[in-house]
């Protein structure tokens, strides 16, 4: 028979309803590729209030950024020494190189634009990778990436709420 107010066993943590959705949203926001662009509409579709979805997605999308800025160069160099990982490391560097044109043309504004446009291959992970490979000062990179994530979140939120209004 279940014990305790959560209905689980002794010491069990039960996540259900809003908390479970919020945790899933947070994890999706931190994941490469999905990031805020996928997590925000997902959270709204699963009943999380729009304002909470936005704040949670922006905050959680930023969690990996300082670690990427600090460690990605060393990780890529290590990956290149491993036969199975070298191809992926080179692909990541090539992916970042393709995004450099925007940065070179507009400098820090380019980093903001790269992160703010909610399209595949852009976002906080790509922005942090590009900033790291270019040697952009960390505080400047963090600020531009945060502003870009906030802008992308506003765009995705507007589209998501519009879709909800149209399709119910």
């Amino acid at each position: 028979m279940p014990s305790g107010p959560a209905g689980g066993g002794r010491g069990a943590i039960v996540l259900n309803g809003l908390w479970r959705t919020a945790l899933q949203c947070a994890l999706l926001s931190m994941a490469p590729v999905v990031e805020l662009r996928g997590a925000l509409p997902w959270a709204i579709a699963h009943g999380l209030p729009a304002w909470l979805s936005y704040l949670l997605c922006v905050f959680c999308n930023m969690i990996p950024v300082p670690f990427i800025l600090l460690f990605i160069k060393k990780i890529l160099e290590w990956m290149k020494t491993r036969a199975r990982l070298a191809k992926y490391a080179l692909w990541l560097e090539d992916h970042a190189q393709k995004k450099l044109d925007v940065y070179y043309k507009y400098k820090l504004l380019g980093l903001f634009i790269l992160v703010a446009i909610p399209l595949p291959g852009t976002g906080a992970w790509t922005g942090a990778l590009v900033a790291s490979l270019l040697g952009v000062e960390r505080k400047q990179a963090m600020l531009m990436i945060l502003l870009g994530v906030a802008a992308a979140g506003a765009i995705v939120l507007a589209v998501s709420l519009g879709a909800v209004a149209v399709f119910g």
Side-chain angles (χ1 to χ4, degrees), residues 15-103:
L15 291 176
N16 53 27
L18 189 65
W19 289 106
R20 183 179 183 146
T21 302
L23 177 61
Q24 291 170 333
C25 173
L27 294 173
L28 282 171
S29 295
M30 290 185 271
V33 182
V34 178
E35 297 189 47
L36 170 144
R37 289 144 176 77
L40 187 52
W42 183 90
I44 292 169
H46 284 81
L48 211 58
W51 67 270
L52 180 59
S53 299
Y54 175 82
L55 293 176
L56 183 63
C57 287
V58 169
F59 178 78
C60 292
N61 198 183
M62 288 300 295
I63 290 173
V65 171
F67 300 102
I68 297 167
L69 291 171
L70 286 171
F71 301 118
I72 195 66
K73 283 184 181 179
K74 291 177 184 172
I75 291 169
L76 289 173
E77 289 305 315
W78 175 82
M79 287 173 67
K80 288 179 194 174
T81 66
R82 305 291 187 259
R84 290 185 173 178
L85 299 175
K87 186 176 180 180
Y88 186 65
L90 293 172
W91 178 86
L92 279 173
E93 286 181 338
D94 184 55
H95 174 71
Q97 289 292 332
K98 290 176 184 174
K99 306 295 180 185
L100 293 181
D101 291 342
V102 173
Y103 178 80

Side-chain angles (χ1 to χ4, degrees), residues 1 13 43 84 91 95-96 101 103 116 118 132 138 161 167:
M1 177 166 238
I13 297 174
R84 290 185 173 178
W91 178 86
H95 174 71
D101 291 342
Y103 178 80
S132 179
R138 282 189 198 109
L161 293 176
F167 299 110

